[in-house]
DNA sequence: CTGAAAGCGCTAACAT
DNA sequence: ATGTTAGCGCTTTCAG
């Protein structure tokens, strides 16, 4: 019991296989009558083209990969939503490629992508910043677009954000509220934006004439749990700060939980701000003051860049996406 | 400039293409020496097999789809994590197939899956409960496994949960705390578990001799926003209830927000419980009392069922997954 | 243990 | 406007 092929359809319609192919691919130079007959025959036989045969000869899989580490779930969700949004009404499909640790497995990533036969990939951080991956991708001729890279911007189409400025702005806002004792929760050290955001914070501190105390910087991993742990450490100290800058929203929410555990009210006794404007920032109470990184829009734009390349249009080389300071209720002037 | 093929490798190693194929696929009857030479040649040429050619002849794509609607992001995240967990160290890849509305597009879903050339699919609700989809899948010979179906359990391997009992338990718990004025936020009406959970609530009400007042039932869509809206409606009424049962965690968190908006403290003035034990239930304050549905484990098990079928092992016909009442801090006895 | 031939289902290039 | 021929790169016979 074989599956029905283009030849079967041709036989039923009384035409050659090639003509069937023409009709099904909307190629020109086919008479309306034949078109009709072929369509009817294909329907009657419940014919579905074999995509492998097509891919083999066309050298195109119509699959796009999304490469990410697994930092915060909310970030990944935004990312996927953005890619899928752009893929609506396209023939392309999304294959998700989560990498355990880009840092450790960089050498194998492209092999993985290659063997997945992807036409193109959207690279999220930190893969979007990895020289080896970028190089191998070029060698393997897999099209790509990058989200929030910080280095080698020319190497491939990039969607940029000014992490430094965004961090500076939110830090300046907190300082402007009157805070002087401020702790920081860093993100995953293998992600480039961690350093960029750190730099932005430092600039704001410097402009305000504040010292950045290294004993007030806690490590984190962009996850809720790491934020919770960092928050507990910060708040356990004798000289408790009046505000916390977290490098993403998940960690900020974790720090909020740490504050709650010891009955510290937010924002009255402790101000906390995040980064990214993930969905989680909108559903906590108080809602989180944060700085919006348009992850969704970047994912849409990056996917467009990939598709453009696949269809031989010139992709935008780079797009600068704008951040926005979102003032909500989790930060207020320090308690007198 | 052509890509290197199995023939090139064979030429370099001084063997036939078939022998290269044998080595690369770990087939028996190849001498160690030849094996060595072929491996070396493949490495030297940076050879990667063309998966389309393989798929064409083997009739296997090594791609597994995950079909879901887009209810709550936290649910989808758990689902994906589960599938990906089982796929670690497997050759299979995950293709995500979000469907806008299964209800409206059921007829096209299988066509979509078919043209994506998936070897198998994991069906999340409500697709997991749709007769048409199940039937067409069988016709198209696409293997599948189901998550939380409620009907036609024999039709395909199923991962079951007892939604009715779970709902009954959490409702009984709330009633047991002393609540008598209880509102309900329903889930998406096209999802089968919505009715099941409703039934469970009703059973608990009945056992306690309570009336279920229809004017205390608010519609929802399994999203935070719908929970927020429903919460506002419920709390705006003159005869405000003392507890809210939400059919998932996202809606429960939305209802919490509605309570906060009018300064109602939880759980002192209003108890709220959810359903599912999504990540969101752990990161809110107070943490949400809920009933755990092992979505992750079901996704793992469903993926295993698909893989088993693809590798000609007999899959488990059905697995019953257990729910757990998770008592956290969002519900307490009603205020005197 | 190894190789030659055939063909998976489709489309590009070239006829007609 | 339609058909023929020749592969795409691999694996499955079936011989040696």
């Amino acid at each position: 019991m074989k599956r029905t092929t283009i030849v079967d359809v041709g036989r039923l319609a009384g035409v050659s296989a090639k003509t069937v192919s023409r009709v099904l691919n909307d190629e020109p130079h086919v008479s309306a009558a034949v078109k009709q007959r072929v369509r009817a025959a294909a329907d009657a036989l419940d014919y579905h083209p074999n995509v492998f045969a097509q891919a083999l000869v066309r050298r195109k899989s119509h699959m796009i990969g999304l490469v990410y580490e697994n930092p915060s779930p909310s970030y990944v969700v935004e990312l996927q939503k953005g890619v899928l949004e752009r893929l609506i009404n396209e023939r392309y499909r999304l294959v998700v490629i989560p990498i355990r640790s880009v840092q450790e497995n960089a050498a194998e990533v492209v092999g993985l992508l290659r063997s997945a036969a992807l036409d193109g990939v959207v690279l999220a951080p930190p893969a979007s910043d990895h020289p080896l991956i970028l190089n191998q991708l070029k060698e393997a001729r897999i099209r790509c677009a990058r989200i929030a890279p910080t280095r080698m911007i020319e190497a491939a189409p990039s969607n940029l954000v000014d992490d430094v400025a965004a961090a500076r702005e939110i830090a300046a806002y907190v300082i402007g509220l009157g805070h002087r004792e401020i702790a920081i929760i860093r993100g995953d050290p293998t992600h480039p934006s961690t350093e960029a955001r750190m730099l932005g914070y430092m600039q704001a501190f410097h402009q305000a004439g504040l010292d950045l105390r290294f004993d007030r910087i806690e490590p984190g991993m962009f996850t809720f749990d790491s934020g919770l742990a960092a928050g507990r450490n910060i708040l356990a100290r004798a000289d408790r700060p009046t505000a916390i800058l977290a490098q993403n929203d998940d960690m900020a929410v974790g720090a909020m939980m740490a504050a709650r555990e010891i009955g510290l009210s937010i924002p009255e006794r402790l101000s906390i701000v995040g980064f990214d404007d993930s969905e989680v920032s909108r559903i906590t109470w108080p809602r989180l003051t944060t700085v919006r990184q348009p992850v969704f829009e970047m994912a849409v734009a990056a996917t467009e860049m990939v598709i453009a390349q696949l269809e031989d249009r010139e992709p935008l080389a780079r797009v600068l996406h704008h951040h926005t300071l979102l003032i909500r209720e989790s930060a207020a002037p320090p308690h007198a």
Side-chain angles (χ1 to χ4, degrees), chain A:
Chain A
M1 166 138 181
K2 301 178 34 167
R3 56 175 293 174
T4 74
T5 74
I6 204 168
V7 179
D8 302 322
V9 177
R11 187 159 32 216
L12 182 59
V15 297
S16 76
K18 176 63 209 177
T19 300
V20 177
S21 167
R22 282 201 185 91
V23 173
L24 267 26
N25 292 303
D26 287 317
E27 284 173 37
H29 310 305
V30 187
S31 72
V34 167
K35 228 177 249 184
Q36 191 102 35
R37 286 219 310 281
V38 170
R39 289 254 157 72
D43 270 3
L45 265 41
D46 190 30
Y47 169 78
H48 288 259
N50 181 323
V51 291
F52 307 126
Q54 290 181 320
L56 182 57
V57 55
R58 292 211 273 236
R59 284 123 193 279
K60 250 190 108 169
S61 68
H62 289 280
M63 293 193 305
I64 291 180
L66 172 62
V67 180
Y68 58 89
E69 240 183 50
N70 52 354
S72 82
S74 40
Y75 188 87
V76 173
V77 168
E78 288 293 298
L79 225 43
Q80 285 195 14
K81 273 200 206 158
V83 174
L84 289 167
E85 172 71 22
R86 181 59 188 81
L87 257 34
I88 290 175
N89 297 327
E90 295 281 352
R91 299 193 47 191
Y92 297 92
R93 304 237 138 59
L94 170 61
V95 180
V96 296
I97 314 279
I99 308 288
R100 316 297 224 93
S101 163
V102 170
Q103 173 102 315
E104 288 169 26
N105 304 309
E108 296 142 48
V109 170
V110 176
L112 193 74
L113 300 179
R114 210 187 243 235
S115 71
L118 303 170
D119 287 343
V121 290
V122 171
L123 260 24
S128 58
D129 235 22
H130 205 291
L132 182 63
I133 292 177
L134 254 26
N135 273 334
Q136 293 191 356
L137 234 29
K138 186 166 286 180
E139 274 173 32
R141 296 231 183 82
I142 299 174
R143 311 301 182 168
C144 77
R146 308 160 72 193
I147 290 182
T150 62
R151 306 179 290 181
M152 309 168 296
I153 304 306
E154 310 300 326
S158 296
N159 290 276
L160 303 168
V161 286
D162 192 342
D163 262 313
V164 177
R168 191 172 54 229
E169 281 174 35
I170 196 160
Y173 168 74
V174 170
I175 294 168
L177 287 174
H179 293 276
R180 293 295 171 270
E181 309 297 320
I182 304 173
I184 290 172
I185 305 179
R186 285 168 53 94
D188 184 330
T190 71
H191 285 236
S193 52
T194 295
E195 277 319 317
R197 292 174 188 183
M198 206 59 218
L199 180 59
Y201 292 160
M202 282 166 62
Q203 291 178 352
F205 276 61
H206 183 74
Q207 279 169 18
L210 287 180
D211 283 338
L212 200 159
R213 282 174 44 185
F214 288 102
D215 61 331
R216 285 249 168 90
I217 302 176
E218 278 289 322
M221 288 300 283
F222 284 139
T223 61
F224 171 83
D225 286 332
S226 69
L228 174 58
R232 284 174 179 157
N233 285 343
I234 289 168
L235 300 177
R237 301 226 191 78
D239 59 338
R240 181 189 296 158
T242 62
I244 295 178
L245 308 175
Q247 285 201 349
N248 83 345
D249 291 335
D250 297 67
M251 294 194 299
V253 174
M256 281 177 68
M257 173 81 58
R260 256 73 183 255
E261 287 176 344
I262 58 170
L264 220 53
S265 70
I266 300 169
E268 292 78 10
R269 292 286 168 169
L270 179 68
S271 288
I272 297 182
V273 299
F275 214 106
D276 280 351
D277 186 37
S278 319
E279 185 182 29
V280 66
S281 69
R282 272 160 274 155
I283 70 177
T284 55
W285 187 274
R287 297 180 311 153
L288 201 59
T289 289
T290 189
V291 48
R292 170 170 172 68
Q293 292 294 43
V295 178
F296 177 86
E297 288 81 351
M298 285 196 283
V300 173
T303 309
E304 161 58 26
M305 287 168 170
V306 171
I307 293 179
Q309 293 175 72
L310 295 178
E311 301 184 340
D312 289 317
R313 304 193 320 262
E314 191 65 29
L316 292 172
R318 88 198 69 113
V319 176
L320 177 60
H321 296 264
H322 295 287
H323 58 267
T324 323
L325 180 61
L326 295 177
I327 296 173
R328 298 203 274 238
E329 298 87 27
S330 68
H335 194 74

